[in-house]
Amino acid sequence: MASAAEQLASNLNFSTFAKAEDLKKRLWFTLAALLVYRLGTHIPLPGLNPEAYAQAFRGQAGGILGLFNMFSGGAVERMAIFALGIMPYISASIIVQLMTSVVPALENLKKEGEQGRKIINQYTRYGTVILGALQAYGIAAGLESGQGLVVDPGWFFRVSTVLTLLGGTMFLMWLGEQITSRGIGNGISLIIFAGIAAGLPTALAGTLELGRTGALSTPLILLVIIVAIAVIAIIVFVERAQRRLLIQYPKRQVGNRMFQGDTSHLPLKLNTSGVIPAIFASSLLLLPATIAGFASTTAMPSWATSIVAALGHGQPLYMVLYAALIAFFAFFYTAIVFNPKDTADNLKKHGGFIPGIRPGDRTAEYIDYVLTRITVIGALYLVFVCILPEILVSQTGIPLALGGTSLLIVVSVTLDTVAQIQGHLIAQQYEGLIKKSKLRGGKRGR
């Protein structure tokens, strides 16, 4: 028998959406916020020579700058006020999550509920300021070291650049929080999604232009399209896949009445780590190429030049390390965000148990056993989804925005956003049913 939520979801239609006034306001607010973000990616940083910077960026587009440019929606390419994007906030969030697993004080805060979460979020904001300031100063120093990139080098340019870029990151962090609370949710993810999605039309047009000029053959372009569609289908299937553990609750007596024991499920996602492994692996592997691009090749020793060449985009060593790092971060990040011991303790506290498994440590061991095995599948899925398009990107020269990481982020955020919209519609329809039942009850009382 379908649950009440599933029955409500099956009854959703266009008329339900048309009556959802609160959802419409949230959607309009989200679109307005994303429009503000896109406008900010076109406001250039003051004090730069645009032509010299554009020429310098083209020489570094294949390194980590190209990856950051994809995540920032082209802001790095234009060195706009949002060039840092939201990445310092994501890095700070991951660092704080790591620290909650090793620092007892932060671990206790995590268990304190809403109040503890607010304090942890505040620490994340402080971390964002520190990381953003360091990265902004690094960008300012790097721009000054370039030939003719800065109109008037000096401390005034460095300070103004740090304040501008850090202010842009903090504004995006605030904007993401507003989208989460006043919009349709997933504010930070939607900002990253908007940046990548903005580059997809240009990437597609660039691919078709390569086909028009003869750089890419028509069969190869068709192969790229087929692979992209297949990858999207795989992402949709796996991101919605769950391993559900049956949870039973014993019979309970309230007063003189005996209530039958209930059953539910503990859903374990096949890919618990999300897109973080792909982002981290790409950043680490592209870092040597970016450093080598800024450094003089004559000043580098021969062994360093050989390593950089072997780690070039599309090289066999690059692919092997890329796959290994994705698999490593898939397990590492899953262990950070999901604690089987805490889950088992919560089940025991509420009287729930897995049939055939003793509550407590045995339940934690069983959950960890299942989670480890489905993470193997999730890691293999991430490696396949990221490596296959990466091979096409490196071998054919199609834009980076059509790679596996970008498709993974776009599809995952789209699925989450659709789920959020459906949740708002179900909540409104449920409220409508409650109001109708109250009105009927009032009429019967009369």
Side-chain angles (χ1 to χ4, degrees):
M1 181 181 293
S3 64
E6 291 172 344
Q7 290 176 355
L8 286 173
S10 63
N11 293 330
L12 297 179
N13 49 37
F14 184 77
S15 62
T16 306
F17 178 79
K19 298 176 183 177
E21 296 298 331
D22 180 65
L23 178 59
K24 289 180 184 178
K25 292 179 182 178
R26 289 179 175 272
L27 286 173
W28 281 115
F29 179 85
T30 302
L31 291 175
L34 294 180
L35 178 61
V36 171
Y37 161 64
R38 290 303 303 154
L39 290 175
T41 60
H42 289 81
I43 301 176
L45 192 71
L48 282 183
N49 184 341
E51 295 180 358
Y53 176 77
Q55 184 177 359
F57 178 81
R58 283 194 291 269
Q60 296 293 326
I64 197 171
L65 290 183
L67 181 69
F68 286 162
N69 184 60
M70 179 185 71
F71 290 145
S72 64
V76 175
E77 182 180 4
R78 294 180 285 271
M79 193 46 67
I81 60 174
F82 290 160
L84 274 182
I86 205 69
M87 296 305 292
Y89 177 78
I90 295 176
S91 301
S93 300
I94 295 172
I95 291 173
V96 171
Q97 285 181 354
L98 291 174
M99 293 180 65
T100 55
S101 301
V102 296
V103 179
L106 291 177
E107 188 175 1
N108 293 333
L109 281 176
K110 188 178 179 181
K111 297 178 180 179
E112 290 182 5
E114 183 66 25
Q115 187 62 30
R117 188 162 59 249
K118 287 181 179 179
I119 298 176
I120 292 177
N121 289 339
Q122 195 65 28
Y123 290 156
T124 304
R125 295 187 183 98
Y126 295 151
T128 303
V129 173
I130 296 173
L131 291 178
L134 292 175
Q135 292 180 19
Y137 183 81
I139 289 175
L143 291 173
E144 281 191 339
S145 65
Q147 187 66 30
L149 297 181
V150 180
V151 177
D152 187 17
W155 277 105
F156 179 79
F157 172 77
R158 296 179 193 175
V159 173
S160 63
T161 299
V162 169
L163 292 178
T164 302
L165 294 179
L166 180 59
T169 294
M170 299 307 293
F171 176 79
L172 287 182
M173 182 185 69
W174 174 83
L175 194 65
E177 292 175 351
Q178 295 302 308
I179 294 175
T180 301
S181 60
R182 301 174 60 185
I184 56 176
N186 297 329
I188 302 299
S189 299
L190 281 174
I191 288 177
I192 299 176
F193 166 84
I196 296 176
L200 288 178
T202 304
L204 185 58
T207 303
L208 296 178
E209 179 64 19
L210 291 175
R212 189 186 68 82
T213 58
L216 292 178
S217 63
T218 301
L220 186 57
I221 293 178
L222 292 177
L223 176 63
V224 169
I225 295 175
I226 292 173
V227 169
I229 295 174
V231 168
I232 291 173
I234 293 172
I235 293 173
V236 172
F237 176 78
V238 176
E239 292 298 325
R240 294 176 66 91
Q242 294 178 345
R243 169 71 163 90
R244 295 186 175 185
L245 300 181
L246 180 64
I247 306 296
Q248 287 187 347
Y249 293 91
K251 296 180 180 180
R252 56 193 178 92
Q253 184 173 357
V254 180
N256 295 325
R257 298 185 62 184
M258 179 67 71
F259 290 89
Q260 185 67 28
D262 196 8
T263 60
S264 64
H265 292 89
L266 174 64
L268 300 176
K269 288 190 64 176
L270 211 58
N271 177 31
T272 308
S273 57
V275 300
I276 297 298
I279 295 175
F280 269 33
S282 300
S283 301
L284 287 178
L285 285 178
L286 291 175
L287 189 59
T290 303
I291 295 175
F294 282 113
S296 174
T297 54
T298 58
M300 292 177 59
S302 58
W303 61 267
T305 306
S306 301
I307 292 177
V308 170
L311 291 177
H313 201 67
Q315 297 298 321
L317 181 60
Y318 173 89
M319 294 296 183
V320 172
L321 291 178
Y322 188 38
L325 286 174
I326 288 175
F328 168 76
F329 282 120
F331 281 93
F332 181 76
Y333 194 70
T334 298
I336 294 300
V337 299
F338 191 95
N339 191 334
K341 176 65 176 175
D342 291 344
T343 304
D345 290 343
N346 290 332
L347 287 176
K348 185 177 181 180
K349 186 185 302 182
H350 293 88
F353 63 93
I354 299 175
I357 307 296
R358 183 179 300 173
D361 293 337
R362 294 285 296 172
T363 298
E365 292 174 2
Y366 179 75
I367 294 175
D368 183 64
Y369 172 85
V370 175
L371 186 64
T372 301
R373 275 145 186 78
I374 64 175
T375 303
V376 171
I377 302 175
L380 292 175
Y381 144 76
L382 285 175
V383 169
F384 175 78
V385 164
C386 293
I387 288 293
L388 182 59
E390 199 72 30
I391 294 174
L392 289 177
V393 168
S394 61
Q395 298 298 323
T396 62
I398 63 175
L400 185 65
L402 294 178
T405 304
S406 56
L407 289 178
L408 180 64
I409 294 174
V410 169
V411 177
S412 299
V413 176
T414 301
L415 291 174
D416 291 341
T417 304
V418 170
Q420 290 278 352
I421 293 175
Q422 287 182 341
H424 284 293
L425 290 175
I426 291 174
Q428 178 174 343
Q429 194 171 12
Y430 185 70
E431 290 175 0
L433 292 175
I434 292 177
K435 290 180 181 179
K436 288 181 180 179
S437 63
K438 287 183 178 179
L439 289 175
R440 291 173 182 173
K443 290 180 180 179
R444 289 174 183 174
R446 293 177 184 175

